[in-house]
Amino acid sequence: MGTLDEITRREIGQHLVLGFQGHEISDDVKSLISKYYVGNIILMKRNVRDAEQTRQLIKALQLLARQAGHERPLLIGIDQENGLVSAFSSPSAGTQFPGAMAQAAIDDIGTARLIASSCGEELKAVGINWTYGPVADVNINPLNPVIGVRSFGSDPKLVGEYATASGQSFVSSGVASCAKHFPGHGDTHVDSHLALPVINKTKQELSSGDLPPFQAVIAAGIPSIMTAHIALPLLTGDKTPASLSRAITTDLLRKELGYDGLIVTDCLEMDAISAVEKGGCGIEEGAVRAIIAGADIAMICHTYRRQVGALEQICAAVQNERISLAELKRSGERIAAMKDKFVGDWDSIFDGQRELDFTGSWKLLKERNLRLSLEAYRRSTTVVMDTGSLLPLRLSQNKEIVLLTPLRVQINKAVDGDDENTQPVRNTASPYDKQFVKILEGHGIVDHIVYGPDDSPSLKNEGINAVIFVTRNAFRAQWQWSVLKKALGGIGENVPVIVIASCDPYDFRLIDDSLPKDKMVFMSTHEFTAEAFAGAGTLIFG
């Protein structure tokens, strides 16, 4: 790291949050914490096996930092928005709670508060002290490929109220919340994981739609805000991403909106920044530009070589005064303040009593939160149309249910992460649809059909008691709706058809007069988790 003195190198290490591979301490993360003095770690799904393993991993990370002479413990962050982006949720780890749009569908802000505080209690129990949520984006564009149901909705006022409630409730449980993705990723048609979205909005347009939720959370004292990799040329004069733009990060967020909390970038390994061939500046240069722009912490989630390269380039930028050391130290004071509030000192990290109490208290916490989750999912499932008053279904004892689900495809990298098994494969069901089959098997004999864009499902008229047709973002992939209409032609007149929008509810904008609505039910689960499908099953069968 050049010829900088150790104090300066330790300061630089505080300004990145980095990820690593595996369920245990790796050589890479040892090097990052001990050699490069990195002060913040992000955990991903790949790091979480169960609650006890996660707790022991974090304890080991903190011990490593203390042994390396860190003045303060590590910030340990995670993407725990709830819903489809829940890095800590699994049967053996944290509780799966409904995501933002599902929470808003319950129409009870008290439940949203309870979900965030209950989730925060689980995170805090294992040592996670920073969550990258709530999503404060207003989902203005129904064709948005990356936000969708991760947003509380399309109304700026409602989004602001729910984001504020969620952010405050995480804080009440001792976890720092982080509103994202400033100044608003909700009106894009490009996924910043894949390319740089360019939003041609004026300042007035931004102020009337995207900014109000961020203004609300700022007024409520949100501890941190994440900047987005989106370009706003009508504000900045060029296509510099907001995360690397001083006009957005400092002039707009800090000065104009008066935000004095911690600013962190979205992951710099997203193609909007990392892909030089697509116009990006590259990860290492991106880290330098983000800090110059006014970010307190730059995020790099995956690649050790790139993480070290970014650290080296930041050091070089400090040496040649491209980065102001005085400004970096002022920024470091914000990081230290958040650590003092949400992490505490070394004694609070290594509290022996918490060690003794963990197993029993975790079991009770999970049992309580499971009850909350099940009830919330039941209430979040929305019947959009039931013209024929078909629900709950009254079917014979040995009923046959035909379930049609779309072939597995990638939703987006925020949801799917680095899962390579998301390319369309003919007749291949997704794991979440297989879970729905198991839920339905409690109500009858299930014939599961996986449909693709060129399919015309042939359904026998005799013996079918009900058809359940699942769509997944059909408003963006309208071939699903075409398959539904083809399938309806082979279904008997008296067979009820339940159409479930298992992600964006915008699918139901495709309902038209050609559909036999009196024998159809349209319902939305807002997500395709097993818990959301269980909620649908409860409404369908009573």
Side-chain angles (χ1 to χ4, degrees):
M1 294 179 68
T3 59
L4 294 175
D5 60 65
E6 184 177 307
I7 293 174
T8 303
R9 290 187 289 123
R10 285 184 179 274
E11 176 66 53
I12 289 168
Q14 293 298 308
H15 294 269
L16 288 106
V17 56
L18 307 178
F20 65 100
Q21 303 289 330
H23 294 141
E24 298 176 352
I25 295 284
S26 67
D27 289 340
D28 288 348
V29 79
K30 282 181 184 178
S31 171
L32 293 172
I33 293 171
S34 300
K35 180 180 177 181
Y36 295 98
Y37 308 119
V38 168
N40 316 287
I41 297 295
I42 178 172
L43 298 184
M44 317 288 284
K45 274 187 178 291
R46 63 180 182 240
N47 303 120
V48 176
R49 183 175 61 239
D50 55 53
E52 178 60 23
Q53 167 269 327
T54 304
R55 189 174 74 95
Q56 293 298 338
L57 174 62
I58 292 171
K59 184 179 175 183
L61 289 168
Q62 295 288 16
L63 182 60
L64 191 64
R66 184 170 70 171
Q67 292 171 340
H70 288 227
E71 181 180 354
R72 290 175 173 82
L74 304 168
L75 277 170
I76 305 290
I78 197 165
D79 257 333
Q80 188 69 15
E81 299 172 9
N82 291 314
L84 296 178
V85 180
S86 299
F88 186 58
S89 297
S90 76
S92 59
T95 303
Q96 177 69 54
F97 287 110
M101 196 171 287
Q103 290 181 38
I106 298 172
D107 195 23
D108 175 13
I109 204 161
T111 297
R113 289 185 183 276
L114 190 55
I115 287 171
S117 62
S118 299
C119 176
E121 286 181 68
E122 292 186 351
L123 297 177
K124 193 70 173 179
V126 299
I128 297 169
N129 44 50
W130 192 15
T131 182
Y132 304 116
V135 171
D137 303 307
V138 183
N139 201 58
I140 297 167
N141 184 354
L143 295 175
N144 192 316
V146 68
I147 302 300
V149 295
R150 297 168 64 198
S151 165
F152 289 104
S154 57
D155 175 15
K157 184 173 184 295
L158 177 143
V159 173
E161 289 171 352
Y162 273 85
T164 298
S166 180
Q168 289 176 327
S169 298
F170 275 115
V171 168
S172 73
S173 65
V175 174
S177 49
C178 181
K180 60 186 187 186
H181 308 78
F182 185 85
H185 211 314
D187 199 8
T188 60
H189 63 278
V190 173
D191 182 350
S192 51
H193 291 87
L194 306 176
L196 178 67
V198 178
I199 302 173
N200 288 303
K201 282 189 173 183
T202 64
K203 176 71 173 301
Q204 183 177 357
E205 289 171 326
L206 200 71
S207 297
S208 64
D210 299 271
L211 289 182
F214 290 100
Q215 293 171 305
V217 296
I218 289 169
I222 194 86
S224 59
I225 287 177
M226 179 181 289
T227 51
H229 305 319
I230 56 176
L232 297 138
L234 298 185
L235 272 72
T236 64
D238 57 27
K239 293 184 179 179
T240 300
S243 53
L244 312 186
S245 168
R246 194 167 180 89
I248 301 297
T249 304
T250 295
D251 296 344
L252 177 58
L253 181 52
R254 283 267 184 244
K255 295 179 180 178
E256 187 170 338
L257 299 185
Y259 184 59
D260 60 2
L262 187 148
I263 298 174
V264 59
T265 71
D266 209 340
C267 180
L268 298 176
E269 289 187 80
M270 294 161 64
D271 281 3
I273 304 297
S274 65
V276 177
E277 70 278 9
K278 297 179 183 178
C281 65
I283 296 163
E284 298 86 349
E285 173 64 16
V288 172
R289 294 188 189 184
I291 289 173
I292 293 173
D296 299 303
I297 295 177
M299 179 184 290
I300 307 173
C301 294
H302 308 288
T303 312
Y304 175 74
R305 175 176 57 85
R306 293 300 183 80
Q307 293 165 342
V308 170
L311 284 156
E312 297 282 5
Q313 286 210 24
I314 293 170
C315 284
V318 170
Q319 283 181 298
N320 63 28
E321 299 183 350
R322 189 178 171 204
I323 291 176
S324 162
L325 183 56
E327 194 168 301
L328 195 69
K329 288 180 178 179
R330 286 195 294 273
S331 172
E333 291 172 3
R334 286 188 285 269
I335 299 169
M338 195 161 102
K339 287 190 174 189
D340 289 345
K341 182 173 182 178
F342 293 100
V343 189
D345 58 18
W346 287 115
D347 288 340
S348 63
I349 289 292
F350 298 102
D351 183 344
Q353 187 59 39
R354 284 196 307 179
E355 179 89 14
L356 293 172
D357 292 346
F358 178 77
T359 302
S361 61
W362 179 259
K363 182 174 182 291
L364 292 174
L365 182 60
K366 279 279 287 188
E367 289 173 351
R368 187 199 75 188
N369 287 350
L370 179 60
R371 292 192 295 270
L372 170 63
S373 172
L374 291 174
E375 176 63 10
Y377 272 110
R378 183 190 66 79
R379 294 170 63 198
S380 70
T381 307
T382 305
V383 177
V384 176
M385 186 184 298
D386 183 10
T387 304
S389 299
L390 302 176
L391 296 184
L393 295 183
R394 305 297 183 191
L395 304 178
S396 61
Q397 186 74 22
N398 297 315
K399 47 190 172 287
E400 182 174 341
I401 303 164
V402 176
L403 171 68
L404 296 102
T405 63
L407 52 74
R408 185 180 186 183
V409 296
Q410 186 179 70
I411 302 300
N412 57 60
K413 284 187 176 291
V415 173
D416 301 305
D418 295 323
D419 187 353
E420 296 177 357
N421 300 312
T422 54
Q423 295 305 311
V425 179
R426 185 171 177 78
N427 299 325
T428 300
S430 64
Y432 28 84
D433 290 333
K434 291 177 182 177
Q435 291 172 324
F436 194 25
V437 172
K438 291 180 180 178
I439 292 167
L440 294 178
E441 284 175 340
H443 301 279
I445 301 166
V446 180
D447 179 14
H448 183 199
I449 299 171
V450 179
Y451 67 87
D454 300 320
D455 291 340
S456 299
S458 177
L459 306 179
K460 59 181 182 181
N461 283 322
E462 296 181 5
I464 298 176
N465 298 103
V467 173
I468 300 176
F469 192 98
V470 175
T471 65
R472 190 156 298 125
N473 298 334
F475 193 61
R476 284 186 260 147
Q478 295 193 14
W479 60 266
Q480 296 176 33
W481 210 254
S482 298
V483 174
L484 168 64
K485 290 188 173 184
K486 293 175 187 175
L488 288 172
I491 299 171
E493 265 186 46
N494 297 319
V495 177
V497 178
I498 316 296
V499 181
I500 300 176
S502 67
C503 200
D504 282 347
Y506 305 114
D507 294 6
F508 293 142
R509 294 187 178 188
L510 299 173
I511 295 173
D512 59 32
D513 291 338
S514 69
L515 299 174
K517 300 185 190 70
D518 59 332
K519 72 169 188 177
M520 300 182 74
V521 174
F522 301 91
M523 62 195 306
S524 177
T525 60
H526 304 96
E527 58 191 65
F528 42 84
T529 56
E531 292 79 2
F533 280 137
T538 300
L539 276 188
I540 292 170
F541 298 104

